[in-house]
CSV table of all heavy atoms in Angstrom, one decimal:
chain,number,residue,atom,x,y,z
A,1,LEU,N,150.6,144.8,98.5
A,1,LEU,CA,150.4,145.7,99.5
A,1,LEU,C,148.9,145.9,99.8
A,1,LEU,O,148.5,146.3,100.9
A,1,LEU,CB,151.1,147.0,99.3
A,1,LEU,CG,152.6,147.0,99.2
A,1,LEU,CD1,153.2,148.3,98.8
A,1,LEU,CD2,153.1,146.6,100.6
A,2,THR,N,148.0,145.7,98.8
A,2,THR,CA,146.6,146.0,99.0
A,2,THR,C,145.8,144.7,99.1
A,2,THR,O,145.2,144.5,100.1
A,2,THR,CB,146.1,146.8,97.8
A,2,THR,OG1,146.4,146.2,96.6
A,2,THR,CG2,146.7,148.2,97.8
A,3,VAL,N,145.8,143.9,98.1
A,3,VAL,CA,145.0,142.7,98.1
A,3,VAL,C,145.4,141.7,99.2
A,3,VAL,O,144.6,141.3,100.0
A,3,VAL,CB,145.2,141.9,96.8
A,3,VAL,CG1,144.5,140.6,96.8
A,3,VAL,CG2,144.6,142.8,95.6
A,4,ALA,N,146.7,141.5,99.4
A,4,ALA,CA,147.2,140.5,100.4
A,4,ALA,C,146.9,141.1,101.8
A,4,ALA,O,146.5,140.4,102.7
A,4,ALA,CB,148.7,140.3,100.2
A,5,ASN,N,147.1,142.4,102.0
A,5,ASN,CA,146.9,143.0,103.3
A,5,ASN,C,145.4,142.9,103.7
A,5,ASN,O,145.1,142.7,104.9
A,5,ASN,CB,147.3,144.5,103.2
A,5,ASN,CG,147.3,145.1,104.6
A,5,ASN,OD1,147.8,144.5,105.6
A,5,ASN,ND2,146.7,146.3,104.7
A,6,ASP,N,144.5,142.9,102.7
A,6,ASP,CA,143.1,142.8,103.0
A,6,ASP,C,142.6,141.4,103.2
A,6,ASP,O,141.7,141.1,104.0
A,6,ASP,CB,142.3,143.5,101.9
A,6,ASP,CG,142.5,145.0,101.9
A,6,ASP,OD1,142.9,145.6,102.9
A,6,ASP,OD2,142.1,145.7,100.9
A,7,LEU,N,143.2,140.5,102.4
A,7,LEU,CA,142.6,139.1,102.3
A,7,LEU,C,143.3,138.2,103.3
A,7,LEU,O,142.6,137.2,103.8
A,7,LEU,CB,142.7,138.6,100.9
A,7,LEU,CG,141.9,139.3,99.9
A,7,LEU,CD1,142.1,138.6,98.5
A,7,LEU,CD2,140.4,139.2,100.3
A,8,LEU,N,144.5,138.4,103.7
A,8,LEU,CA,145.2,137.5,104.6
A,8,LEU,C,144.5,137.4,106.0
A,8,LEU,O,144.3,136.3,106.5
A,8,LEU,CB,146.7,137.9,104.8
A,8,LEU,CG,147.6,137.4,103.6
A,8,LEU,CD1,148.9,138.1,103.7
A,8,LEU,CD2,147.8,135.9,103.6
A,9,PRO,N,144.1,138.5,106.5
A,9,PRO,CA,143.3,138.5,107.8
A,9,PRO,C,142.0,137.8,107.7
A,9,PRO,O,141.4,137.3,108.7
A,9,PRO,CB,143.1,139.9,108.2
A,9,PRO,CG,144.2,140.7,107.5
A,9,PRO,CD,144.4,139.9,106.2
A,10,LEU,N,141.5,137.7,106.5
A,10,LEU,CA,140.2,137.0,106.3
A,10,LEU,C,140.3,135.5,106.0
A,10,LEU,O,139.3,134.8,105.8
A,10,LEU,CB,139.4,137.6,105.1
A,10,LEU,CG,139.1,139.1,105.2
A,10,LEU,CD1,138.4,139.6,103.9
A,10,LEU,CD2,138.1,139.3,106.4
A,11,GLY,N,141.6,135.0,106.1
A,11,GLY,CA,141.8,133.6,106.0
A,11,GLY,C,142.1,133.1,104.6
A,11,GLY,O,142.3,131.9,104.4
A,12,TYR,N,142.3,134.0,103.6
A,12,TYR,CA,142.7,133.5,102.3
A,12,TYR,C,144.1,133.2,102.2
A,12,TYR,O,145.0,133.8,102.9
A,12,TYR,CB,142.4,134.6,101.2
A,12,TYR,CG,141.0,134.8,101.0
A,12,TYR,CD1,140.2,135.7,101.8
A,12,TYR,CD2,140.3,134.2,99.9
A,12,TYR,CE1,138.8,135.9,101.5
A,12,TYR,CE2,139.0,134.4,99.6
A,12,TYR,CZ,138.3,135.3,100.4
A,12,TYR,OH,136.9,135.5,100.2
A,13,GLU,N,144.5,132.2,101.4
A,13,GLU,CA,145.9,131.9,101.1
A,13,GLU,C,146.3,132.7,99.9
A,13,GLU,O,145.7,132.6,98.8
A,13,GLU,CB,146.0,130.4,100.7
A,13,GLU,CG,147.0,129.6,101.5
A,13,GLU,CD,147.0,128.2,101.1
A,13,GLU,OE1,146.1,127.4,101.6
A,13,GLU,OE2,147.9,127.8,100.3
A,14,VAL,N,147.3,133.5,100.0
A,14,VAL,CA,147.6,134.5,99.0
A,14,VAL,C,149.0,134.1,98.4
A,14,VAL,O,150.0,134.0,99.2
A,14,VAL,CB,147.6,135.9,99.5
A,14,VAL,CG1,148.1,136.9,98.4
A,14,VAL,CG2,146.2,136.3,100.0
A,15,THR,N,149.1,133.9,97.1
A,15,THR,CA,150.4,133.7,96.4
A,15,THR,C,150.6,134.9,95.5
A,15,THR,O,149.8,135.2,94.7
A,15,THR,CB,150.4,132.4,95.7
A,15,THR,OG1,150.1,131.3,96.6
A,15,THR,CG2,151.7,132.1,95.0
A,16,ILE,N,151.8,135.5,95.6
A,16,ILE,CA,152.2,136.6,94.7
A,16,ILE,C,153.3,136.1,93.7
A,16,ILE,O,154.3,135.7,94.2
A,16,ILE,CB,152.6,137.8,95.5
A,16,ILE,CG1,151.5,138.3,96.4
A,16,ILE,CG2,153.0,139.0,94.6
A,16,ILE,CD1,151.7,138.0,97.8
A,17,PHE,N,153.0,136.3,92.4
A,17,PHE,CA,154.0,135.9,91.4
A,17,PHE,C,154.7,137.2,90.9
A,17,PHE,O,154.0,138.1,90.4
A,17,PHE,CB,153.4,135.2,90.3
A,17,PHE,CG,152.9,133.9,90.6
A,17,PHE,CD1,151.5,133.7,91.0
A,17,PHE,CD2,153.7,132.7,90.7
A,17,PHE,CE1,151.0,132.5,91.3
A,17,PHE,CE2,153.2,131.5,91.0
A,17,PHE,CZ,151.8,131.4,91.3
A,18,GLU,N,156.0,137.4,91.1
A,18,GLU,CA,156.7,138.6,90.7
A,18,GLU,C,157.8,138.1,89.7
A,18,GLU,O,158.6,137.3,90.1
A,18,GLU,CB,157.3,139.3,91.9
A,18,GLU,CG,158.2,140.5,91.5
A,18,GLU,CD,157.6,141.5,90.6
A,18,GLU,OE1,156.5,142.1,91.0
A,18,GLU,OE2,158.1,141.8,89.5
A,19,GLN,N,157.8,138.7,88.5
A,19,GLN,CA,158.7,138.2,87.5
A,19,GLN,C,160.2,138.7,87.7
A,19,GLN,O,161.1,138.2,87.2
A,19,GLN,CB,158.3,138.6,86.1
A,19,GLN,CG,158.3,140.1,85.8
A,19,GLN,CD,157.9,140.3,84.4
A,19,GLN,OE1,157.9,139.4,83.5
A,19,GLN,NE2,157.5,141.6,84.1
A,20,TYR,N,160.3,139.7,88.6
A,20,TYR,CA,161.6,140.3,88.9
A,20,TYR,C,162.2,139.8,90.2
A,20,TYR,O,161.4,139.2,91.0
A,20,TYR,CB,161.6,141.8,88.8
A,20,TYR,CG,161.1,142.3,87.5
A,20,TYR,CD1,159.9,143.0,87.4
A,20,TYR,CD2,161.9,142.2,86.4
A,20,TYR,CE1,159.5,143.5,86.2
A,20,TYR,CE2,161.5,142.7,85.1
A,20,TYR,CZ,160.3,143.3,85.1
A,20,TYR,OH,159.8,143.8,83.8
A,21,GLY,N,163.4,140.0,90.5
A,21,GLY,CA,164.1,139.5,91.7
A,21,GLY,C,163.7,140.4,92.9
A,21,GLY,O,164.1,140.0,94.0
A,22,VAL,N,163.1,141.5,92.7
A,22,VAL,CA,162.8,142.4,93.9
A,22,VAL,C,161.3,142.8,93.7
A,22,VAL,O,160.9,143.2,92.7
A,22,VAL,CB,163.7,143.6,93.8
A,22,VAL,CG1,163.3,144.6,95.0
A,22,VAL,CG2,165.1,143.3,93.9
A,23,PRO,N,160.5,142.7,94.8
A,23,PRO,CA,159.1,143.1,94.7
A,23,PRO,C,159.0,144.6,94.8
A,23,PRO,O,159.8,145.3,95.3
A,23,PRO,CB,158.5,142.4,95.9
A,23,PRO,CG,159.6,142.3,96.9
A,23,PRO,CD,160.8,142.1,96.1
A,24,GLY,N,157.9,145.1,94.3
A,24,GLY,CA,157.6,146.5,94.4
A,24,GLY,C,157.2,147.2,93.1
A,24,GLY,O,156.5,148.2,93.1
A,25,GLY,N,157.6,146.6,92.0
A,25,GLY,CA,157.2,147.0,90.6
A,25,GLY,C,157.3,148.5,90.4
A,25,GLY,O,158.3,149.2,90.7
A,26,LEU,N,156.2,149.1,90.0
A,26,LEU,CA,156.1,150.5,89.7
A,26,LEU,C,156.4,151.4,90.9
A,26,LEU,O,156.9,152.5,90.8
A,26,LEU,CB,154.8,150.9,89.0
A,26,LEU,CG,154.6,150.3,87.6
A,26,LEU,CD1,153.2,150.7,87.1
A,26,LEU,CD2,155.7,150.8,86.7
A,27,MET,N,156.0,150.9,92.1
A,27,MET,CA,156.2,151.7,93.3
A,27,MET,C,157.7,151.9,93.5
A,27,MET,O,158.1,152.9,94.0
A,27,MET,CB,155.5,151.0,94.5
A,27,MET,CG,154.0,151.1,94.4
A,27,MET,SD,153.2,150.1,95.7
A,27,MET,CE,153.8,151.0,97.2
A,28,ARG,N,158.5,150.9,93.2
A,28,ARG,CA,159.9,150.9,93.4
A,28,ARG,C,160.6,151.7,92.3
A,28,ARG,O,161.6,152.4,92.6
A,28,ARG,CB,160.5,149.5,93.4
A,28,ARG,CG,161.9,149.5,93.9
A,28,ARG,CD,162.4,148.0,94.0
A,28,ARG,NE,161.7,147.3,95.1
A,28,ARG,CZ,162.0,147.4,96.4
A,28,ARG,NH1,163.0,148.2,96.8
A,28,ARG,NH2,161.4,146.7,97.2
A,29,THR,N,160.1,151.6,91.1
A,29,THR,CA,160.8,152.2,89.9
A,29,THR,C,160.3,153.6,89.6
A,29,THR,O,161.1,154.4,89.0
A,29,THR,CB,160.8,151.4,88.7
A,29,THR,OG1,159.4,151.1,88.3
A,29,THR,CG2,161.4,150.0,88.9
A,30,ASN,N,159.0,153.9,89.8
A,30,ASN,CA,158.5,155.2,89.3
A,30,ASN,C,158.2,156.2,90.4
A,30,ASN,O,157.9,157.4,90.1
A,30,ASN,CB,157.2,154.9,88.6
A,30,ASN,CG,157.4,154.3,87.2
A,30,ASN,OD1,158.5,153.9,86.9
A,30,ASN,ND2,156.4,154.1,86.4
A,31,ILE,N,158.3,155.9,91.7
A,31,ILE,CA,158.1,156.8,92.7
A,31,ILE,C,159.5,157.2,93.2
A,31,ILE,O,160.3,156.3,93.6
A,31,ILE,CB,157.3,156.3,93.9
A,31,ILE,CG1,155.9,155.9,93.4
A,31,ILE,CG2,157.2,157.3,95.0
A,31,ILE,CD1,155.0,155.3,94.4
A,32,PRO,N,159.9,158.5,93.2
A,32,PRO,CA,161.2,158.9,93.6
A,32,PRO,C,161.5,158.5,95.0
A,32,PRO,O,160.6,158.5,95.9
A,32,PRO,CB,161.2,160.4,93.5
A,32,PRO,CG,160.0,160.7,92.6
A,32,PRO,CD,159.1,159.6,92.8
A,33,ALA,N,162.8,158.1,95.3
A,33,ALA,CA,163.2,157.6,96.6
A,33,ALA,C,163.0,158.7,97.7
A,33,ALA,O,162.8,158.3,98.9
A,33,ALA,CB,164.7,157.2,96.6
A,34,PHE,N,163.0,160.0,97.4
A,34,PHE,CA,162.8,161.0,98.4
A,34,PHE,C,161.3,161.0,98.8
A,34,PHE,O,161.0,161.5,99.9
A,34,PHE,CB,163.2,162.4,98.0
A,34,PHE,CG,162.4,163.0,96.9
A,34,PHE,CD1,161.3,163.8,97.2
A,34,PHE,CD2,162.8,162.8,95.6
A,34,PHE,CE1,160.6,164.4,96.2
A,34,PHE,CE2,162.1,163.4,94.5
A,34,PHE,CZ,161.0,164.2,94.8
């Protein structure tokens, strides 16, 4: 959400490796859904 959002418009090729089946990490698990 931060690095890719900033670098993609500048022409960088961005690859994100996520070890789980759903992206979001701590934002998905530690921030309450409300």
Side-chain angles (χ1 to χ4, degrees):
L1 296 174
T2 53
V3 174
N5 189 45
D6 292 342
L7 295 180
L8 284 167
L10 297 175
Y12 288 85
E13 230 179 284
V14 179
T15 303
I16 299 108
F17 295 95
E18 172 59 53
Q19 69 177 342
Y20 300 112
V22 179
L26 293 176
M27 291 175 63
R28 189 174 298 278
T29 59
N30 289 8
I31 299 176
F34 69 89

